[in-house]
Amino acid sequence: MHHHLGDAGALHLANALRTDTALTTLNLLSNDIGARGDGNLADALAVNRTLWNLTIVCNDIGDRGAKHFADVLSVNSTLTLLRLGSTSIGDRGAAHLAGALKVNATLTDLHLQSNGISPEGYRHISDALRSNATVSKLDLRGNSVDDETCTLMLKVWRHGAKALYL
């Protein structure tokens, strides 16, 4: 069941996350959360030290929302799994997240399926993976990939990584 929290509900949830010391997993699948609501959630995650698994799939956060989560990934040391599939982040959002991957040392699992990411976005992500030693699972299914992009991603995918979905 989806509750359709919207941006207002996300604000209330974010306020609770700022002081929560128990929640480890949060699934907000299809809750009508936009960039304003995810900005509040991202701000809360900057101070939350218990949440390690976050799903925001099928919410319209766009590239602005991806920027919010990229900012969090630059400072958060507990989030290991982030699912942002079908959130309309596009290439700009992929570039924001790629910048965060260059400095984040805790995220191991990133899902960006069906986000309108083109070969340009893949190049940003592949560049980030050259310096990221922790991401071991990356899911980019449902985005626009060509042979050259596929080859590029495979070249930078580290030895020992568990899964790459194109």
Side-chain angles (χ1 to χ4, degrees):
M1 176 190 320
H2 305 294
H3 299 285
H4 304 287
L5 293 172
D7 288 339
L11 172 61
H12 294 294
L13 186 56
N15 289 335
L17 283 174
R18 283 183 175 82
T19 58
D20 182 81
T21 59
L23 189 68
T24 59
T25 299
L26 180 59
N27 186 333
L28 296 172
L29 174 74
S30 296
N31 266 289
D32 295 329
I33 297 170
R36 196 175 87 224
D38 80 74
N40 291 319
L41 290 169
D43 289 346
L45 290 176
V47 296
N48 179 285
R49 297 292 175 245
T50 58
L51 194 73
W52 63 268
N53 178 344
L54 178 61
T55 298
I56 305 284
V57 174
C58 295
N59 288 284
D60 193 24
I61 68 169
D63 61 88
R64 183 174 159 205
K67 171 77 167 98
H68 293 150
F69 284 108
D71 291 345
V72 166
L73 289 174
S74 297
V75 298
N76 181 286
S77 61
T78 55
L79 200 61
T80 60
L81 171 58
L82 180 58
R83 292 184 182 101
L84 293 175
S86 299
T87 53
S88 306
I89 67 167
D91 291 334
R92 289 179 67 185
H96 293 311
L97 291 168
L101 290 177
K102 291 179 181 179
V103 297
N104 180 279
T106 55
L107 193 71
T108 60
D109 199 336
L110 180 60
H111 297 245
L112 299 174
Q113 311 94 308
S114 303
N115 266 304
I117 299 171
S118 75
E120 176 188 345
Y122 277 89
R123 281 190 289 282
H124 292 296
I125 293 168
S126 67
D127 182 50
L129 291 175
R130 286 185 172 92
S131 59
N132 181 294
T134 56
V135 173
S136 60
K137 182 177 181 183
L138 178 63
D139 192 340
L140 292 162
R141 288 178 288 185
N143 290 293
S144 180
V145 64
D146 56 19
D147 290 343
E148 181 181 332
T149 304
C150 188
T151 301
L152 175 68
M153 292 301 290
L154 291 173
K155 281 182 182 177
V156 300
W157 198 242
R158 297 175 335 282
H159 175 72
K162 295 178 184 164
L164 173 63
Y165 301 96
L166 300 174

